[in-house]
Every structure is written in C-alpha cells, then in structure tokens.
Amino acid sequence: MLDVVLPILIFAALALALAGALRRIGLWRQGRAAPVQLLAGLAAMPRRYLVDLHHVVARDKVFANTHVATGGGFVLAALLLIAVHGFGLESRVLAWALLAATAVMFVGALRVAARRKDPPARLSRGPWMRLPKSLFAFSVSVFLVTLPAAGVLPAGFGGWALAAVLALVVAWGLGEMFFGMTWGGPMKHAFAGALHLAFHRRPERFGGGRSTGLKPLDLNDASAPLGVGKPVDFTWNQLLGFDACVQCGRCEAMCPAFAAGQPLNPKKLIQDMVVGLAGGTDAAYAGSPYPGMPVGEHGGDVHSPIVLREGRALVDADTLWSCTTCRACVEECPMMIEHVDAIVDMRRHLTMEHGNTPNKGGEVLENLAATDNPGGFDPASRMNWAADLDLPLISARGSAEVLLWLGDGAFDMRNQRTLRALVKVLRAAKVDFAVLGNDELDSGDVARRLGDEATFQSLAARNIATLAQYRFEHIVTCDPHSFHVLKNEYPALGGHYDVSHHSTYISQLMAAGRLALGQWSGGKVTYHDPCYLGRYNGEYEAPRNALKGIGIKVVEMERSGFRSRCCGGGGGAPITDIPGKQRIPDMRMAEINATGADIVAVGCPQCTAMLEGVVGERAEVLDIAELVAAQLAAAPAQRVKEEVTA
Amino acid sequence: MNDIVRRDPRSEWIARNRLHPEHDAVLARMGGGAPAAQWMGPNGVIRRDPHAVGFIGPNGIRRIDRSGAQSAGAGGAARREAAAAPARRRVDIDTPAFFIAVVADMPGGRLSAHDRDLLGLARQLADAETDGAVLLVSFGDPRETGLGEAGVDRVLNFAGEQFEGYAPELRLTALGGVERQHAPRHWLFPDSPLGGAELGRRFAARLGERPATQVWQIADGRCTGRGAAGASDITRELPRIVLALPECAEPVADTVHAAEAIAPPAALPQALRRVEDLGAVAVDPAGVALAEAEFILSAGNGIHDWDGFHQAARVLGATEGASRVAVDNGFMPRHRQVGATGTWVTARVYLSAGISGAVQHLQGIQQCDKVVAINTDAGCDMVKRADLAVIADTGEVLAALVELVEGGRKEQRNAA
Amino acid sequence: MRREDIKQVQGLKVAALVSVGRHPVTGRPRRADFDARAVEMGLSLVAPENMSLLHAGECSPERESALRGYLGMGIGALDVLDQPPEADIVPALEARLREMGARLVLCGARGEMGEASGLVPFLLAERLGWSLVSGLAQIESVDGDSMTVLQALPRGQRRRLKVRLPAVVTVDAAAQAARQSAYGPARRGELRRIEGEVTPDAAARDWNTAPAKKRPKRLKIVKAASARDRFKAAAAKAEGGGGQVLTGLSPQAGAEAILKLLREEGVLR
C-alpha cells in the first residue's frame, strides 16, 4: 500500500510546494527592480551557502554542527526520498544512503529539540516550537518506510494499519518540510534563504569581501520613490531577504538599542516587513517584541504606508529612529540580511517625504544645508582651533602626501584636543601633510543616516569637486564616520580615494620606524572599537597595534572586535534621541568599567563624546592619537636635536 | 550733610599762631588727623609745611597726590561733590517754532531706557533750529515724574481706560488728531516689538508716509537704519516718521525742560474697533519656552530634592532648565535640556544649581549675560564660567533663597 | 502645544506671504524664519489645499530653491508674482489678494533681505481696509467673522485678542517653529509664475545700502569734575573675566548674595 501512497504523497507535496514557491516569488516580485545577476548568483549560491553562511553560523560551534546534521541530512534525505520512493528506483545503495541521511537528520533533530527545551529569549517560539517534532516525524517516518527498500525488513511488514500510520506521519513530515517551506512555515528560511543568498543585494560580501556603504538614490529620476514608504518600494531582493529570516534572534541579542530598552528589535522589524510583504498583522509573531510595545497592534500590507504620520501602521517611526546603524545585527545575521539598508531606506522616506526627522533632526539637517556642518557654526571658523598650529593648507601648496581630513570635530572643543595630538604625531614623524581648511565640508554622514539623501549628495558632490583640485596620496582622518563615507560611499558618486583611519596610519608610521616613542607607564587600558572603523571597515588590528607600539597591553572587553557594542553615537541617534530604559553609552561604560581599566582608548569623536557624557565613576576616555602623542614627549632627546638641525 | 561752611575763628587763630600751645592739636583736627600741610600764617600769608604733604606709600616712599583727594577733609569732599554734579541748565521754550513728536512706549506709565534714548534723539532734532520743541505723546495713566529731565518740552497725554491695554486703532486715531492739530516736523517711535514698532508702522501706513525703520543713527539730515534683518545698513534722507532702535542717541543729561502739559485734541473721530483686547492670559513661567526665557533656574546632577527645586523655580518666577544628566535620569523632560545638544538659551540671568558644566552645556549658555552657579565643587567648570558662584549645598541654598524671597514679599505686603 | 490640539477650520481661505530669507551665518538663501512660522500657523488652521502661498519678487534659480523650502512643508503650489528687485511689491500683492478672496493673510514680521522694514503687512491692511494684529503666538479659534488669537508679549507672556476678519496678521519668533521642509514635496511642488503690473519703488532709489556696520557699544559717560576722576573712569578695566566665588558661606549668606544679583538684574518680580 505504501508503494502507492508514498509517491502520491511526495508528488502532491512537491506540487503544492511548487505552487507555494510560485506564489512566494510573486510576492517578492511586487518589489522594485534591482540589478541582480540571476544566473551567476544561482551558480554562486552553493558556495555562498556552504562557506559564507556557514562561517557566520559557525560562531556558535554546537549549533553549527546541529544545523549541518539537520539541514544536510534533510537535503540528502529529500533528494533520495524522491528517487527511492517517488520514482521507485530499486537500489539498495540508495536506500541505505537514505537511511543514513535520515539517521543523521534525526541526530540533528535531537539537538534542535534539546535547544528548544528551554530556549533563550532571543529565539522565537510559536510554530518554531513544533519544528523539532516535525523533524522527528520526517526523519523517523522516512527511516521506517525505507527499511523494507533497504532489505532490512520484508516488504509489507506490519500490515496496512502500520502502513496507514506511517503514511500519516510521512504526510506530516512532508507537510512541514515541503509544503511549509514555500507556504510560510519555519522551513521557509531554507527556500527563501537559498534564493536570498543567490540574489543578495551586496554580492561583494561573499568570499570574504566587505560591502557596507549605503546605496545612493538616483535623485535625477523624478519617478523613483524617495526611500521606502510602502513595502512595494523595497527592491524585490530586499523583500526576498526579509523572507529569509530564520528568527534566530542573534541580531536582537546584539542590538544596543534593544538592550537599552528603545523600541527596536531587528528581528521583529524584519518580521514586520514580512507581514507587510504578505499582508496581515503581527499578532502571529512569537518572539520578543519591541521593548515597551505589545505585539498585535500593528499590521499592514504591501501597498499601505509602513509608517503613518499619526496613528499606527506596520512600524512606528520611533522604531526606525532608534537604530544607531552600528551594523551589529547585520554582522551577526547568519542569513546575511541587510537590516541597516532597510532602516535607512525607510528613514529616507520619513525625512524626504514626510519631513519628520524627530527632535533635533530637522535643525541639524537645516544647518547642514545652510552652513555645511551639523552644528550651524560659521563655516569660516572651521580652522579657528588651529590658529596657533600654522597648518599647511593644500590650497596654498596644491599637493601633499597626506591630506588630513578634520571632520566636524574641528568645531568641537573636546575633539580639537585629539586633532592637536594627531598633528603633533604627524609633525613628529615628519609627514608631508596638509588640510583643506575652510574648504572642507561635512562628509554627509549624519545627513545620510538621517535619511536626507539630497543633502548628503550635495555635500558629497561639493567635497569631491574640492578634492579633485588637489594632488595627494592618502587621506587620513581621525573620524571613522568621515573615513567610511569617503572610502565606501563617495566612490558611487565618483570620488575614489585611498583613505586611512589615523590609527592605521599611525601604526604604519610606527612600523616604518618614523616615530620615536616612549613606553607606556600608566594604568590599565582597554580599547573600544568604533562601529564605523570595525564592523564597517574591518579595521580591528591597526588600533591595537598602535597601542602595542607604545607598550600598552590592551585588556579586552567582553564585547570587542566585530562584537563591539556601539557607544550610541552613530546613525544620528544622539540627534533623534529616542528614549529607552537606559542609555547606550552608560551600558558601554559599564562594560568598560568591568575590565577594571583606568583608561579607555577610542578612535572616534562620536565615541569620545558619548563615553565622556557618562556621569559618575568611569574610566578616562582618550583617543589613540592622544595616547601616542603623550609618549612622544617621553621620546629620547635626539629627536629634539634633529628638529633643531632641520 | 549741609554745605554751609562753618568757621571757627578761634581755632583759625590758633592755627595761625605757631607758638600757641594748642597749635598742633588744632592743626591736626582741621587736617583730618594728619598734620596740616598748609595754613594761613599770622599775617594772612599761606604757610606750607612740605614735610607734611602727601603720605607714605606701601613701599615706604612718600607719595604726593595733587588731586587733593588724599588730604581733603570730609567736609571738603562733600563740597566738591556738590560742585561736581553741575546743576542742569533749565531750558524753556515758550512759543515752539515746530514740534518733534515722540510716541513713547512708557511701560507701566514710566519712560523706558529706549524711550529716553529716543527723547535724546528728539532733542537733537529739536535743537538743530531755534525754538524746536519736543512733544511727548503718551497713552494711559502717566506715572513718570522726570519728564523734564528727559528732555520733554510739552506733554500730550491721552488718559482714559480705553487707551490702556491693546488698543492700536484708538491710539491711531489719537495720533491722527495730534497730526492735524500740531503737524509735528518729525514723528519718532521706538522700534520695539508690540510697542512703537507696531504703532509707528500703522501710523505711517495711515499717513501714507514712508518711514525709516530700525534707525540707529541720524546725522546731517540723513538717517541710517538696519535692513535685511540686521545684515545691512540703509542710509537715506531723514523722513518724517522714524522708528529708532535702542541707543540711537544719548539720553538728555545737561538740561531740564518744562514738560508742560497741553490738552489733547478735543474731538477725535470714532475709531473702527476691529481688534478687541480680552486681557492677559496667565502664563506659567514653567511653560515659557527655554529659548525665550529671561531668567532660568537650571538643575543638574547635584539636585536631590526635586520638589524643592520646582518650588524655588516657582517662587523666583524662573523658567526651569536642566542639564543633560538630569534629563537622562528622567527628572526633567527633554525639551527642558539646556546646552549644545538641547536648547541654546539667551537668558539674562542663568542660575545653575548643581551643574558641573560639561562643555556642551557651557556652549548652550554662551549668550547668557549673568551666570550664577551653586555647587559644592569649587573646581568645576561651571564655577569658572560663573559671574557669581556660591560653594555650598545646592538644596540648602535654594531653600534659603526661597525663604528670603518669600520673606521679602511678606514684608512688602505688610508695608503696603 | 501639539498640532493635534487645534481643530482645522473648514472653508477658511488662508494666504501666507513668503519671502526669500537669508541665513544669518552664511547668508545663503533659505526659507525666511518668520515667514515659515507664518506658514506653519496657517497649516495648523487649515488643510494644505486651502492654504495659498504668495511671493512677490524675482525668481532666479537660487531663490527658487529657497522658495521651494516652503513647498516642502507640504503645500502643493506657490504663486510667484514676478517683480523686479527695484519694484514696490505692495500694489501687486494687494491686487492679487483681492483676486484670491483670502480672508486671513499670514505674514512674517519682517523679511531677511532688502529693506526688511516689516511694513508690507501694515500697508496691505491699510489699503485693503482689513484688521491687523502683530506678533501672534497662536490662533486659538476662528468662527464666522472673527477669530480669537494669542498675542505674544515679552518673556513668554500672552494676551488674548478677538480680531474681526478679514485680517492681516504678522508672526515672529514667539510662534511655533516651522516644520521641517521635506525634499520630495519641495521638488514636486509647483511654482506658478504670475506676471503682474510693476510699480517702481521711486523712494528707494536714492538709498545707500551697505553691509551692516557694528554699532559702537555705549560707553558709560562719567561726568567728573577733576581730570583724575575722568582718567580713572576711562582707564578702569572692563568688568567681567573671572567671577566672584563665595566659599565657606552659610546657605543664607549665599542666598543673599544671589538675591542681590537677581535684584540688580531686575529679573525678580
């Protein structure tokens, strides 16, 4: 009897799955067109899956093995199931292989079940809780129905009653694994995830590459939407990406805004986008909500606004403005979903269509348009801090080896100390450098993160035009935000430069022996990785090397390197200032204090400002440039003699 | 002290007589303790003792102060002071050849500093030719007593309840009456928001005259006023109607004028009243926008007794502000945050209580005139910035301040 | 005050006169602050469709982008009465306002370029024979032929007025700040250029305009009898620089010192 029932079940499930797949593809295709290489993407997909995705999953070794066993076992079992039972291929070898595959899958399912026994808060519940049972149903039932084919049991063993029961269990397994894959069950992640990897909007990220710059809007195209106001305004592969979410909650565990109790949870946000894609409400969502916001009150569909000016729709504006764009979620996501892109896309709509950037946002954007800096300072006073330093202007010289990009920290009294230290270091190393002076404008970072693409592009275009007038080999800056924008976001607008962060440049100077430095004799030092230097640009080593160069042994924090926690200063978060239960810099300072460090070394004006804003007992905040410059003073006397002779 | 010189012929005689046994004592008494350096000799010749001149300076050298301030007795100083404040010259203009009319704001019935400057300007214009007179046009109950000292020759007051409050249309018809009766050569208005700025512009529009606005200088028949929101200076022939800024001229200081009241025009045409004043609206000082506030009491991390702080703000009539920390800790709403990351304030007096003064905070109070700090830490940046700093427990000082102010009010009430 | 607090008035036609502003620091053209506040006040009263924007002046590309700033507040179109810089814009505005049939005209208290005398609203009200109120903080309600408004007095005080319609009102810094100007609506909005009669401004021809000179700070004039006193007054160091720090005082003594300063500054009432 099973000989007859099984092929019917298998092909029925496959047919339904195919129908579901077509429907799902139809949903994704509601999105806007995107430049994607379909065939090349599909061809690259297995490698992306097995290498890049596994690389992220493997940060949790136990679960990586579980996933290999379960997922690998299932894929193999499914293919063999179709061959052995669907087409009735009579091959002992295949049958034994199928038995082995289901056995492996069973072992994996055991681990999945164990994890689901007392799941951590970041995991979604709901249908996900039944997944281990479904995995058992599939693996056990397929194992059993394959035993006769493998010759272990005689055909017709157990009679029709057992066969009927088995057929039912197979049906359950097939239902979850095949039908559910394309109709929206937990297994959807396998189908959508595979295609998402194939048609990813940042294919550069695979194979060890890095792609973090935001994609520009074409402002000359009057018909293109300014950002994303409705789910259909996303590109189709973004929608596909949302569907790939496996709700593992690793993003949630890393998100600084979530931890601070601000109304953002990256996982929920992606699930809300899925709700928007398919239509309905978020009532079925079974994970952690946005802090302070009950589940079930939001909903929408693909053609409705995501955020309403007043009242509730799919997402509240505060959720989008809570993000610090620290990219911790993107870095952690095993499905390589691009949360930050989506958030900035929606912010673009809020700023450029609604004109609704919260709190000081509007003022900052107005300042940027009128004075080219977010503080509204007189652009002619950008160099006032360096009146006594006699900095060489590149406009007077035409060329220099290093162009020192000052950033808007030039207007900030605290950052001016860092800049002075950096100038001191560069002079000590006899670096041929120059500055743009008052010709420098804000890089556009804040404008872009706040969604004001028009102001960003205007600033960028004018900066690129200024830079085009001069010859220089590198740009060095002590602001990772400017660094990221100049390095990763100006190329799309026609500006290609060799940009280094000052820590990188200083560590190069040290390696070349151009700095005579004393040895650190102060207290314990820890290092805080700026998001825009670390996760955005992969520079984790150079700052540590620079500190090592002056004899500092860095005491690492629990969250450091690619898992460093944001200071709360990115993405315009201090400007939009969405209230939470606590402040992100306070949490970060608690982590710093937990190391027992006396000093926290930083490499970013934003981080300095945020961490120094923490009241109470705290470690001293010093920029790497300041630490290095302080050791210059302790350098041997011959350096002074050289300066005199020179 | 009266200025009459009292002479004592006997001591003068002793002073002249060096051989008199009381000679030294009398000289000392007359010279305010120090031996007298000069006196009238017995035969009427002034005698000087060069050794008694001057005093020994801090480094042991004799210093001679020839201004006389040092050796002058108390009586002499009073006499000199009386001489130093010269009596104002009295100027009376009996038959004015022309009028320069000034429509003063007179808040509370008294001349404001702006009004006085304007009267000084009017004086210049009136005195440019002989017998020009300054005509002050005022509304409501006059309480000012020093109009003559301010340079006013004639006063034309429109008294009556109907002119009080906001009655621009009525005032406009009144000015029209003055125009018909006296035809002043120039009309001067203070360019002050809701005062002369509005009335002057209304009046100019009514007369069809092009006024000069935001004027800050008048010289040689030309006036210079600000244009383009203060970004440019426009110089032109002096028109009939001028709206002038504060400090457009020095107030009158040397003369005193008659300030003679003249009767307002008898019959004014009925004004069409399209705007009705429904009265002042009670505004809670706590509700005033920070950027607008004139007096801010701002709280920081050093405040522990928040009820006491709110009470102090209420009693002082101050608008509440806060440092970032106080806002972050949830004690104050975000829109009360002062500083570069909050609101940039322009208060005349900024009273900071328990704020240590982060850079961003100090940036935000750059434009404040007077900064007062109450803090326990004498070394903090806010104390360095403050014009007056009190190093004490913030809560206690605020409580004492509340007590003082309330006590003072009670006394006033009892006295009244 | 929140925007939702105000009920939108049906059937009221509101016009706002807008001009090209000038940023105080960089001098770049922008939305004039007071004018933008006037538009904001209008939007709190009526739907954007019932709100018309009117500008009289030139329309160069630079000025156009500043004018589009007003469209970015969510209004579909802006009428530009084409007027050369040396024209008197009042007759043209008057004619246009009569034509439009607006019952309420909102203006910024003054412009940020040119003469910026703040006279236009007064001249318009006089010529049209409408009511005029200046320095509005808020329009509380509009019913039939009159409206109730709050006028801003110094130090955040308010006065309630009842004003007969039609009316011209002016708005200054006390009114609610203008909403952010959004790029999308600003780009899509329509600038309708309207040719009109040009009246030359003859009076302004002889004027001499120069960048603002810094005004001298008023000196304290000392009337002193002796040369020594005059010299001492002139040579006296400017006050300020390093304030007074009172340590070791009782709270009462500290409070008295503060109170003295508060009284001197006249902020206590």
Side-chain angles (χ1 to χ4, degrees):
Chain A
M1 189 191 91
L2 279 175
D3 297 346
V4 184
V5 176
L6 276 180
I8 293 172
L9 275 177
I10 290 168
F11 287 114
L14 278 177
L16 283 172
L18 187 67
L22 290 175
R23 177 180 164 271
R24 212 73 206 168
I25 291 169
L27 288 178
W28 300 331
R29 286 194 42 180
Q30 296 175 102
R32 289 187 305 125
V36 174
Q37 290 181 303
L38 292 176
L39 292 178
L42 279 175
M45 191 258 278
R47 197 187 143 72
R48 290 176 182 180
Y49 183 87
L50 294 173
V51 178
D52 298 289
L53 181 139
H54 185 72
H55 185 73
V56 182
V57 179
R59 287 175 191 166
D60 180 350
K61 278 269 161 2
V62 176
F63 189 72
N65 294 336
T66 308
H67 189 254
V68 169
T70 326
F74 165 68
V75 172
L76 196 59
L79 292 174
L80 291 170
L81 176 71
I82 294 165
V84 174
H85 296 291
F87 294 108
L89 284 184
E90 305 237 351
S91 157
R92 280 281 162 94
V93 183
L94 285 182
W96 275 101
L98 179 53
L99 283 181
T102 48
V104 170
M105 188 179 163
F106 179 76
V107 174
L110 277 176
R111 295 275 340 148
V112 175
R115 190 168 76 140
R116 283 277 159 192
K117 200 166 255 169
D118 183 19
R122 63 180 171 88
L123 289 177
S124 290
R125 287 153 178 77
W128 296 87
M129 295 308 277
R130 95 179 168 236
L131 186 60
K133 293 174 199 122
S134 307
L135 293 173
F136 285 136
F138 184 87
S139 55
V140 170
S141 64
V142 173
F143 186 84
L144 291 179
V145 297
T146 311
L147 286 176
V152 180
L153 288 174
F157 176 82
W160 66 270
L162 185 59
V165 170
L166 270 181
L168 278 177
V169 181
V170 169
W172 174 11
L174 286 174
E176 181 76 272
M177 305 306 285
F178 284 13
F179 175 77
M181 185 182 285
T182 58
W183 286 90
M187 285 308 292
K188 184 186 71 182
H189 80 271
F191 166 62
L195 291 179
H196 167 58
L197 291 178
F199 308 134
H200 199 278
R201 73 192 243 107
R202 294 180 183 274
E204 305 86 354
R205 284 184 67 191
F206 301 105
R210 192 170 285 278
S211 164
T212 53
L214 292 173
K215 312 237 165 190
L217 279 183
D218 182 4
L219 295 175
N220 296 322
D221 178 5
S223 64
L226 297 170
V228 169
K230 309 181 189 96
V232 279
D233 295 336
F234 283 113
T235 59
W236 67 268
N237 55 349
Q238 275 180 300
L239 293 176
L240 164 59
F242 302 144
D243 236 2
C245 174
V246 62
Q247 300 195 41
C248 66
R250 292 181 190 216
C251 49
E252 170 187 321
M254 284 297 149
C255 178
F258 180 81
Q262 286 171 272
L264 170 64
N265 174 349
K267 177 173 91 174
K268 170 82 163 65
L269 181 74
I270 297 301
Q271 285 312 306
D272 283 348
M273 294 302 111
V274 175
V275 168
L277 163 74
T281 75
D282 64 346
Y285 173 74
S288 320
Y290 298 129
M293 282 190 190
V295 167
E297 294 178 351
H298 292 77
D301 62 66
V302 76
H303 292 292
S304 303
I306 294 174
V307 180
L308 284 183
R309 278 174 207 270
E310 278 151 40
R312 277 195 283 259
L314 197 54
V315 175
D316 285 354
D318 278 1
T319 296
L320 302 176
W321 295 115
S322 293
C323 177
T324 66
T325 67
C326 74
R327 235 182 136 75
C329 49
V330 184
E331 184 75 34
E332 273 315 302
C333 181
M335 278 298 182
M336 309 187 113
I337 296 168
E338 296 285 343
H339 309 66
V340 175
D341 282 2
I343 287 174
V344 173
D345 277 341
M346 290 185 274
R347 284 185 180 186
R348 283 174 176 168
H349 180 82
L350 293 181
T351 294
M352 297 174 73
E353 284 294 348
H354 285 200
N356 234 346
T357 320
N359 287 325
K360 302 280 256 184
E363 190 185 320
V364 165
L365 295 176
E366 223 159 81
N367 284 340
L368 279 168
T371 63
D372 304 324
N373 66 73
F377 300 104
D378 184 353
S381 68
R382 186 177 282 269
M383 292 305 290
N384 285 5
W385 66 277
D388 59 331
L389 289 181
D390 192 24
L391 292 185
L393 288 177
I394 201 162
S395 55
R397 305 177 30 177
S399 72
E401 186 196 333
V402 167
L403 177 72
L404 182 61
W405 184 275
L406 301 171
D408 290 316
F411 293 105
D412 175 68
M413 283 142 114
R414 170 63 184 88
N415 191 239
Q416 288 164 7
R417 297 215 305 264
T418 306
L419 287 170
R420 283 179 172 274
L422 180 56
V423 167
K424 194 172 161 196
V425 171
L426 292 179
R427 288 211 158 133
K430 301 204 170 56
V431 175
D432 170 34
F433 75 96
V435 295
L436 283 176
N438 291 337
D439 294 343
E440 185 185 313
L441 314 176
D442 175 81
S443 63
D445 168 70
V446 175
R448 194 168 223 201
R449 311 303 135 183
L450 289 178
D452 193 345
E453 184 73 2
T455 302
F456 166 74
Q457 290 195 8
S458 150
L459 288 166
R462 284 182 286 151
N463 273 327
I464 290 170
T466 307
L467 289 171
Q469 298 170 22
Y470 308 114
R471 274 179 300 123
F472 49 85
E473 283 170 43
H474 331 277
I475 298 177
V476 173
T477 176
C478 66
D479 174 14
H481 295 263
S482 303
F483 169 54
H484 165 69
V485 171
L486 286 167
K487 181 179 170 206
N488 300 322
E489 298 192 345
Y490 278 17
L493 302 167
H496 301 269
Y497 313 105
D498 176 24
V499 196
S500 339
H501 185 245
H502 69 306
S503 65
T504 315
Y505 194 71
I506 288 174
S507 68
Q508 283 166 7
L509 289 177
M510 284 175 171
R514 289 172 70 181
L515 286 171
L517 294 162
Q519 285 295 300
W520 175 252
S521 56
K524 248 165 119 180
V525 179
T526 186
Y527 171 67
H528 164 77
D529 286 277
C531 311
Y532 277 72
L533 183 63
R535 277 186 292 271
Y536 273 80
N537 287 292
E539 188 60 280
Y540 304 110
E541 283 315 307
R544 288 175 170 79
N545 286 340
L547 293 173
K548 207 196 277 170
I550 51 172
I552 291 177
K553 241 188 107 208
V554 172
V555 191
E556 291 292 351
M557 280 181 265
E558 193 193 323
R559 292 169 187 262
S560 69
F562 71 87
R563 279 196 170 144
S564 169
R565 172 173 273 167
C566 180
C567 67
I575 297 162
T576 53
D577 190 33
I578 305 300
K581 285 197 183 59
Q582 49 184 332
R583 280 166 31 91
I584 297 173
D586 291 350
M587 298 184 329
R588 186 59 172 163
M589 188 51 85
E591 291 171 2
I592 292 166
N593 288 339
T595 64
D598 306 302
I599 289 174
V600 53
V602 290
C604 171
Q606 281 293 343
C607 299
T608 314
M610 296 307 285
L611 293 177
E612 286 199 335
V614 176
V615 288
E617 286 292 304
R618 61 163 169 82
E620 194 182 349
V621 184
L622 287 174
D623 194 274
I624 291 171
E626 290 179 288
L627 286 166
V628 173
Q631 295 313 311
L632 283 175
Q638 65 175 56
R639 197 179 56 79
V640 182
K641 220 187 292 167
E642 278 170 19
E643 267 182 12
V644 173
T645 50
Chain B
M1 176 176 285
N2 68 35
D3 294 345
I4 301 165
V5 181
R6 303 258 176 224
R7 299 184 68 169
D8 179 353
R10 183 172 176 271
S11 30
E12 282 178 17
W13 175 72
I14 295 173
R16 282 198 297 269
N17 183 359
R18 270 184 294 170
L19 300 175
H20 196 281
E22 285 173 40
H23 174 76
D24 282 346
V26 167
L27 271 190
R29 203 164 59 236
M30 288 175 73
Q38 75 178 56
W39 62 92
M40 182 90 70
N43 37 13
V45 178
I46 297 285
R47 317 288 315 202
R48 290 176 201 271
D49 175 2
H51 300 290
V53 171
F55 57 100
I56 305 297
N59 39 11
I61 299 172
R62 179 173 294 275
R63 325 272 343 188
I64 299 172
D65 181 351
R66 300 213 181 272
S67 72
Q70 204 68 42
S71 56
R79 232 173 296 153
R80 245 200 337 278
E81 253 168 46
R88 288 182 177 229
R89 190 160 47 86
R90 186 164 178 92
V91 179
D92 283 310
I93 294 164
D94 298 326
T95 44
F98 61 91
F99 280 115
I100 305 292
V102 173
V103 185
D105 282 344
M106 303 198 74
R110 293 190 180 83
L111 289 174
S112 66
H114 194 172
D115 292 337
R116 288 179 193 278
D117 296 343
L118 213 67
L119 287 168
L121 184 65
R123 203 66 260 162
Q124 286 177 18
L125 292 173
D127 293 344
E129 287 173 41
T130 44
D131 279 351
V134 173
L135 170 68
L136 175 75
V137 182
S138 64
F139 297 97
D141 224 0
R143 290 198 193 87
E144 179 67 51
T145 48
L147 289 178
E149 280 80 6
V152 178
D153 296 308
R154 299 286 185 275
V155 185
L156 207 161
N157 181 254
F158 289 94
E161 217 173 273
Q162 70 272 28
F163 289 106
E164 302 271 2
Y166 187 67
E169 287 141 336
L170 210 57
R171 292 182 175 201
L172 201 55
T173 46
L175 295 184
V178 178
E179 166 75 10
R180 277 190 300 280
Q181 195 171 359
H182 298 289
R185 182 176 286 184
H186 289 291
W187 281 93
L188 304 187
F189 291 83
D191 206 344
S192 57
L194 286 178
E198 189 193 320
L199 193 58
R201 284 176 175 83
R202 277 183 195 270
F203 187 56
R206 176 65 49 88
L207 292 193
E209 296 267 0
R210 179 81 162 255
T213 57
Q214 309 258 308
V215 170
W216 58 275
Q217 196 176 48
I218 294 184
D220 311 327
R222 290 175 76 77
C223 67
T224 306
R226 292 285 197 225
S232 68
D233 274 336
I234 300 173
T235 308
R236 60 179 112 173
E237 293 290 323
L238 185 66
R240 262 200 86 204
I241 302 179
V242 176
L243 284 78
L245 291 174
E247 301 194 5
C248 53
E250 290 300 331
V252 173
D254 300 328
T255 52
V256 59
H257 296 257
E260 183 187 314
I262 54 178
L268 289 177
Q270 193 66 39
L272 187 61
R273 297 201 70 169
R274 283 176 297 207
V275 181
E276 191 184 340
D277 188 351
L278 300 182
V281 181
V283 175
D284 181 9
V288 175
L290 263 184
E292 244 186 288
E294 193 180 24
F295 175 27
I296 297 174
L297 175 61
S298 200
N301 208 25
I303 292 280
H304 304 295
D305 172 16
W306 284 93
D307 293 335
F309 169 76
H310 294 306
Q311 197 206 348
R314 207 176 51 246
V315 170
L316 295 173
T319 304
E320 289 183 5
S323 72
R324 183 188 60 73
V325 183
V327 173
D328 283 344
N329 291 344
F331 293 117
M332 294 285 285
R334 182 62 71 188
H335 67 273
R336 290 282 154 206
Q337 186 186 327
V338 173
T341 45
T343 307
W344 294 67
V345 297
T346 56
R348 216 137 55 74
V349 177
Y350 185 79
L351 177 50
S352 83
I355 298 178
S356 60
V359 174
Q360 291 83 356
H361 193 86
L362 294 181
Q363 273 178 311
I365 61 169
Q366 264 169 3
Q367 295 172 55
C368 294
D369 279 353
K370 281 273 190 292
V371 176
V372 184
I374 312 174
N375 210 308
T376 44
D377 176 12
C380 68
D381 291 332
M382 180 56 92
V383 169
K384 287 180 194 142
R385 159 72 175 86
D387 299 283
L388 172 68
V390 174
I391 310 302
D393 182 87
T394 311
E396 285 176 18
V397 175
L398 282 184
L401 204 52
V402 166
E403 215 169 274
L404 276 176
V405 172
E406 282 188 331
R409 292 218 175 115
K410 216 171 281 166
E411 260 171 45
Q412 265 180 4
R413 231 170 291 136
N414 293 344
Chain C
M1 184 194 65
R2 296 200 318 276
R3 291 204 174 103
E4 306 88 78
D5 290 348
I6 302 168
K7 254 196 274 165
Q8 300 254 308
V9 183
Q10 302 299 318
L12 180 71
K13 262 186 142 179
V14 177
L17 306 189
V18 296
S19 64
V20 177
R22 178 186 175 283
H23 193 270
V25 174
T26 55
R28 292 187 198 163
R30 61 159 187 176
R31 288 190 288 176
D33 183 39
F34 293 167
D35 293 350
R37 284 174 196 256
V39 175
E40 181 66 49
M41 187 174 282
L43 288 175
S44 73
L45 216 57
V46 294
E49 306 84 75
N50 291 331
M51 175 98 190
S52 18
L53 300 183
L54 194 52
H55 170 73
E58 270 184 309
C59 202
S60 66
E62 214 183 21
R63 293 166 59 92
E64 180 180 324
S65 76
L67 289 174
R68 285 195 175 277
Y70 297 104
L71 295 174
M73 296 171 77
I75 298 164
L78 190 156
D79 295 338
V80 181
L81 304 176
D82 246 333
Q83 297 276 317
E86 64 279 0
D88 180 2
I89 56 168
V90 173
L93 283 175
E94 183 198 347
R96 179 70 190 155
L97 285 174
R98 282 189 195 279
E99 205 176 300
M100 280 165 61
R103 305 254 295 147
L104 178 61
V105 177
L106 302 158
C107 317
R110 57 175 158 77
E112 294 175 358
M113 293 223 221
E115 189 185 359
S117 62
L119 273 169
V120 168
F122 292 87
L123 293 171
L124 283 175
E126 189 65 32
R127 284 163 171 244
L128 292 164
W130 292 6
S131 327
L132 181 138
V133 251
S134 67
L136 248 58
Q138 188 190 336
I139 296 179
E140 288 188 314
S141 63
V142 178
D143 43 347
D145 275 345
S146 68
M147 61 177 177
T148 316
V149 302
L150 285 186
Q151 191 180 38
L153 304 179
R155 283 194 75 176
Q157 302 299 305
R158 300 283 183 264
R159 173 156 68 193
R160 187 169 284 126
L161 303 174
K162 194 168 179 182
V163 182
R164 192 112 45 93
L165 291 176
V168 180
V169 305
T170 78
V171 169
D172 59 26
Q176 187 178 356
R179 66 188 63 185
Q180 195 176 334
S181 175
Y183 176 81
R187 186 174 71 171
R188 281 192 303 272
E190 194 189 346
L191 283 183
R192 290 190 294 242
R193 300 179 67 155
I194 298 168
E195 301 283 330
E197 218 165 292
V198 173
T199 318
D201 184 2
R205 241 172 254 155
D206 309 329
W207 294 357
N208 202 346
T209 306
K213 262 191 295 185
K214 215 169 175 174
R215 289 180 63 186
K217 239 189 164 162
R218 178 178 273 181
L219 294 172
K220 248 195 189 141
I221 293 174
V222 181
K223 299 240 182 232
S226 77
R228 180 173 176 273
D229 291 347
R230 273 199 298 277
F231 174 75
K232 265 170 83 176
K237 250 200 243 161
E239 273 178 60
Q244 189 188 3
V245 181
L246 305 176
T247 32
L249 284 183
S250 72
Q252 281 70 26
E256 267 166 32
I258 294 172
L259 195 62
K260 188 165 154 268
L261 184 137
L262 297 183
R263 291 235 163 89
E264 273 169 17
E265 289 295 319
V267 289
L268 275 190
R269 275 179 298 177

